[in-house]
Amino acid sequence: MIKFDSSHALLNEKISDYQQDVSKVHKMIHEKTGKGNDFLGWVDWILNYDKNEFEKIKEVANKVSDKAEVLLVCGIGGSYLGARAGIEMIQGLYAKNKTEVIFVGNSFSSTYLSQVIEYIKDKSVVLNVISKSGTTTETALAFRILKKFMEEKYGKEECKIRIIATTDKSRGTLKALADKEGYATFVIPDDIGGRYSVITPVGLLPMAIMGIDIDEIFKGLKAAYTDLNEESLEKNAAYQYAVSRRILQNQGKDAEMLVTYEPQMTLVGEWWKQLFGESEGKEEKGILPTSATFSTDLHSLGQFIQEGKKVLFETLLLVEKPAEDLIFPYDENNDDGMNYLSGKSIDWVNKMAMQGTLDAHEITGKVGNLIITMEDTSAYTFGYMCYFFFISCAMTCYLLDINPFNQPGVEVYKKNMFKLLGKN
Ligand code: PA5
C-alpha cells in the first residue's frame, strides 16, 4: 500500500546496518517496555478498539449529519489536526458535500472566531468539542462562546443532540460539563496521546459526520498493522523510513521537508509536523519537521532548497492515482503557446514536474530525497498512512533514545501565559 524508496536520498550508510537496533526497538514497541510505554495503545488499537463505541460513532454521525449544514470541530493539536487532515485528504478541498466543516478552538484569534460566528449564524450547526484533558485554554475559550451561541440559537434541549463532546472517559471539566448538560460523549482512551488519536473518536466522529466511511479507514489501519508488524528492515517500509531519517541526521541534515504535490495533502503535512515535532523535538535532539506543497512552494521555498544552506532533506509523499484528472485541451490559435501539452493529462504534467524537481534537487542541488508513495487518497489509504507514520515515528524516536509520547516543552508557554492571564 505504501512504497518507500531511499535510492534518491544520498545516504552514506546502509539502512540494513541498523537491523540490530531496530530489532531491539521493535520489541520495545510491541512488548511495551520503552519510555512512555503507557501511551502505546495505538499499536494494537485495531484489535482492541471498543466495537460498541465504533458503532455508536456511526449512529450519532448518521443522526446529526442531516442537521449539519455546518459541522464545527472545536479542538487544537492532536484534537484537531488528524480530523482535518483526513477530511481534506479523502474528500478534497472543494468536495460536493451537504455539510461544511469549520475548525475552531485552535487559536486565540478574535477576528477568526467573530467571523465564524457571523458566517454560521443563519446556518444549521452541529458542534463537536474535542479535548482529552478537557482544560486546553484555546478549546475551552472558544467552546464557552460557541456553547452560548448554540443555546441562544437552539435552546438547551436541542443542544443535547447538536453538541457532542469527545474527551477523557471520566476525568476533566469537559466530561463533567457534558454529563451535566446531557451531551453525547465519546472517549479518548487513556493510553493514546493526542497526536496519535486520529484513529479514535477524535478523528473518526468528525470524519463520519462528513460522510467518510470509517470502516474503510479501519480496513487500511488493519492492513498496515499486519504489514508493518515485521521486525525485518528489509520488509518493513516504515522502519526503513525511520532509519533513513537517523542516517540523514547523522549526515548533518537537521531539517526534513515533507513535500506533497496535491493541495488536499497540505493538512496531512501539518498533522505530520505535529506528530514528528512533538514526539521527537526534545533534549536538544530531533529533526525539525517542515512541510511544503509543490509546485506551489517551488515558487517560494524552491530557491532555498536548490541553492541555500544544505541543512535539509526532503521526504516526498506522493499519490499514485489522483482522485480526479483532466485532459489539457487543444486550442487552434495557440496564443498562449501551450499546445505542446494538448491531449496530455494534468496529472501527467504534475508527475513530470515532480520528476524534474527531484532531479534538480537531488542531482544538481545535492539535496537527498526519501520517497513515500501512496496508491491514492482514499479512506483506506488514510488509515494505512496513519499507522505507517505512527510506527515510523515511534521507531525513529526510540532510535534516538527519546520518549515519543510526552511533550514537556509545550508547558512552558502555557505557564507564562497563565501568569499573564491571571489564572491561579
Ligand atoms: O499531542 C498532544 O497530546 C497535544 O498536541 C494535544 O493533542 C493538544 O495539546 C490538545 O490537548 P487536549 O486534547 O487535551 O485539549
Side-chain angles (χ1 to χ4, degrees):
M1 272 309 299
I2 283 191
K3 287 181 271 179
F4 178 74
D5 175 9
S6 62
S7 65
H8 299 274
L10 312 173
L11 302 181
N12 62 14
E13 286 178 82
K14 281 215 287 241
I15 294 177
S16 55
D17 289 351
Y18 281 73
Q19 184 61 64
Q20 233 182 351
D21 294 340
V22 163
S23 293
K24 238 188 271 165
V25 174
H26 176 79
K27 263 198 191 73
M28 270 165 59
I29 294 173
H30 288 278
E31 291 173 7
K32 301 196 165 66
T33 52
K35 291 179 180 172
N37 55 356
D38 42 351
F39 281 97
L40 280 158
W42 54 270
V43 176
D44 302 314
W45 182 240
I46 193 62
L47 307 179
N48 300 333
Y49 71 96
D50 182 338
K51 319 292 182 286
N52 292 331
E53 186 167 64
F54 192 81
E55 291 309 312
K56 189 177 139 197
I57 291 174
K58 291 194 268 180
E59 266 166 43
V60 170
N62 261 339
K63 201 158 103 192
V64 299
S65 62
D66 278 347
K67 290 183 186 291
E69 229 178 308
V70 169
L71 167 65
L72 291 179
V73 179
C74 186
I76 194 167
S79 292
Y80 149 61
L81 286 160
R84 184 159 178 192
I87 292 166
E88 293 195 3
M89 170 172 155
I90 297 162
Q91 298 192 319
L93 299 177
Y94 293 97
K96 260 199 193 153
N97 252 337
K98 62 178 190 317
T99 306
E100 176 183 7
V101 61
I102 298 178
F103 293 90
V104 288
N106 53 57
S107 77
F108 288 121
S109 167
S110 51
T111 307
Y112 182 77
L113 198 52
S114 308
Q115 290 190 339
V116 167
I117 291 171
E118 183 57 29
Y119 179 74
I120 63 172
K121 73 175 195 292
D122 299 321
K123 298 190 161 75
S124 180
V125 182
V126 167
L127 169 59
N128 181 199
V129 56
I130 310 174
S131 177
K132 186 171 186 193
S133 62
T135 55
T136 301
T137 318
E138 287 88 339
T139 309
L141 180 139
F143 182 57
R144 179 186 283 200
I145 292 170
L146 292 164
K147 178 176 178 284
K148 197 162 167 282
F149 162 86
M150 295 289 282
E151 284 171 356
E152 281 166 10
K153 189 170 159 79
Y154 297 110
K156 278 198 173 259
E157 212 35 48
E158 175 75 6
C159 282
K160 287 181 186 168
I161 298 166
R162 288 183 180 263
I163 301 180
I164 308 158
T166 308
T167 187
D168 186 85
K169 69 173 178 306
S170 52
R171 284 178 307 228
T173 42
L174 181 57
K175 175 65 183 159
L177 194 148
D179 287 346
K180 186 174 150 225
E181 299 288 357
Y183 306 149
T185 56
F186 287 94
V187 176
I188 310 177
D190 283 343
D191 57 356
I192 300 185
R195 56 193 175 273
Y196 298 79
S197 69
V198 60
I199 54 174
T200 74
V202 170
L204 298 176
L205 181 64
M207 288 194 276
I209 297 175
M210 290 303 290
I212 290 170
D213 185 345
I214 60 173
D215 285 310
E216 278 298 304
I217 294 180
F218 266 35
K219 277 187 205 157
L221 188 64
K222 189 160 188 195
Y225 175 76
T226 311
D227 293 354
L228 305 174
N229 225 335
E230 282 284 351
E231 180 178 330
S232 160
L233 257 173
E234 206 186 320
K235 293 184 186 151
N236 192 322
Y239 288 175
Q240 289 166 20
Y241 170 54
V243 168
S244 302
R245 297 178 80 255
R246 293 281 64 93
I247 295 175
L248 284 159
Q249 192 170 32
N250 292 344
Q251 290 172 211
K253 308 301 176 198
D254 286 323
E256 173 178 13
M257 186 176 284
L258 188 84
V259 173
T260 80
Y261 278 78
E262 295 290 344
Q264 77 203 74
M265 295 294 289
T266 299
L267 250 291
V268 169
E270 296 300 313
W271 169 81
W272 170 90
K273 278 193 287 204
Q274 191 216 0
L275 180 62
F276 280 78
E278 256 186 357
S279 299
E280 191 182 44
K282 43 199 86 143
E283 300 176 28
E284 301 197 6
K285 296 183 192 172
I287 294 171
L288 171 73
T290 64
S291 64
T293 304
F294 286 177
S295 67
T296 315
D297 294 328
L298 285 173
H299 296 256
S300 59
L301 296 167
Q303 173 60 37
F304 184 94
I305 301 166
Q306 191 71 49
E307 294 182 342
K309 198 150 193 241
K310 300 293 167 207
V311 288
L312 65 85
F313 63 95
E314 291 168 279
T315 297
L316 306 187
L317 184 58
L318 303 180
V319 175
E320 228 160 61
K321 288 185 226 137
E324 320 256 358
D325 204 355
L326 296 168
I327 300 296
F328 192 73
Y330 175 76
D331 186 292
E332 243 173 49
N333 297 325
N334 197 24
D335 290 335
D336 54 10
M338 295 289 283
N339 266 355
Y340 70 101
L341 290 178
S342 297
K344 299 281 196 296
S345 92
I346 304 299
D347 185 56
W348 178 81
V349 175
N350 203 15
K351 291 198 162 63
M352 293 306 104
M354 186 284 290
Q355 193 56 58
T357 307
L358 174 62
D359 291 350
H361 290 182
E362 178 202 347
I363 298 166
T364 315
K366 305 281 175 268
V367 173
N369 274 245
L370 299 169
I371 304 179
I372 297 170
T373 308
M374 312 192 306
E375 202 172 313
D376 53 29
T377 52
S378 64
Y380 180 95
T381 301
F382 180 75
Y384 196 106
M385 180 198 76
C386 288
Y387 196 80
F388 177 92
F389 282 127
F390 289 159
I391 195 111
S392 55
C393 184
M395 173 57 72
T396 209
C397 289
Y398 278 145
L399 286 173
L400 206 54
D401 197 23
I402 290 283
N403 176 355
F405 308 115
N406 62 1
Q407 54 282 334
V410 180
E411 297 311 310
V412 184
Y413 100 88
K414 290 185 190 166
K415 230 170 107 191
N416 291 347
M417 178 181 74
F418 290 149
K419 204 164 145 200
L420 293 168
L421 293 176
K423 186 182 181 192
N424 299 316

